[in-house]
Amino acid sequence: AVVSTQSTGSFNTFNTTTFPRSCVAIARLLQFGKYVERDYKKAFEYLTTGCNKHNTESCFAKANCYLQGMGVEQDYSKAVPLLEQGCERGHLRSCHNLGVLYYHGKGVEKDLNKFKLYNEKAQIFRFQKNPFEGSTEQHLGSGPVAH
């Protein structure tokens, strides 16, 4: 799929097949209503496409849609496998959010040992150069799970 947006006089094209990371960029535009009409469901579709192409950021953002109920019904249990996948790939925020779910018992059985495990992984990844983290601190759904 190719999506085009008109912004600041320049024409931008994102090829989601060749560049699955562009799915996150498109989803951000749709979720925040930047240059396009706000559409949470369509944003979720783009995140699904990126996640299916093994883009960790797309999977993390898709998990956050489930956690926050953005474009889909809120369902913590559907976020868990996406966060596990991201954590296994070294994605710090996936480990953090997964640990928080185990701490509060949301979508999983409360397990303080797993909370500790995922918290430790997040701390380890925090101090390693992580190719999945990049400089996307203000990225879609980057905040922690609501407590």
Side-chain angles (χ1 to χ4, degrees):
V2 176
V3 175
S4 302
T5 61
Q6 187 81 25
S7 67
T8 61
S10 64
F11 192 74
N12 300 311
T13 303
F14 299 97
N15 184 326
T16 59
T17 304
T18 306
F19 304 105
R21 187 173 176 126
S22 65
C23 293
V24 175
I26 294 166
R28 280 189 216 144
L29 294 174
L30 289 164
Q31 285 192 318
F32 297 119
K34 294 279 188 173
Y35 312 113
V36 294
E37 188 174 330
R38 183 173 286 185
D39 188 336
Y40 293 116
K41 288 184 182 197
K42 189 171 262 188
F44 184 81
E45 291 172 15
Y46 279 103
L47 294 173
T48 298
T49 298
C51 188
N52 289 344
K53 300 261 183 207
H54 309 289
N55 178 265
T56 304
E57 287 289 328
S58 293
C59 294
F60 173 73
K62 181 179 177 179
N64 278 316
C65 288
Y66 283 121
L67 295 175
Q68 299 171 15
M70 289 178 34
V72 292
E73 188 173 326
Q74 187 177 40
D75 188 337
Y76 295 108
S77 64
K78 288 185 179 179
V80 171
L82 297 166
L83 295 172
E84 287 174 336
Q85 180 184 46
C87 188
E88 288 170 11
R89 293 181 180 170
H91 191 267
L92 183 152
R93 292 171 289 174
S94 292
C95 295
H96 169 78
N97 282 5
L98 191 55
V100 172
L101 290 176
Y102 277 106
Y103 181 83
H104 291 286
K106 292 188 175 188
V108 293
E109 189 173 322
K110 186 171 184 161
D111 186 331
L112 296 181
N113 288 326
K114 286 190 178 181
F115 160 72
K116 184 177 177 183
L117 171 75
Y118 289 114
N119 188 49
E120 287 172 359
K121 282 186 176 190
Q123 292 303 315
I124 290 168
F125 295 144
R126 181 177 180 202
F127 295 105
Q128 293 177 350
K129 183 171 172 71
N130 188 337
F132 297 113
E133 290 293 317
S135 60
T136 58
E137 286 306 311
Q138 291 190 343
H139 130 227
L140 173 67
S142 62
V145 177
H147 303 292

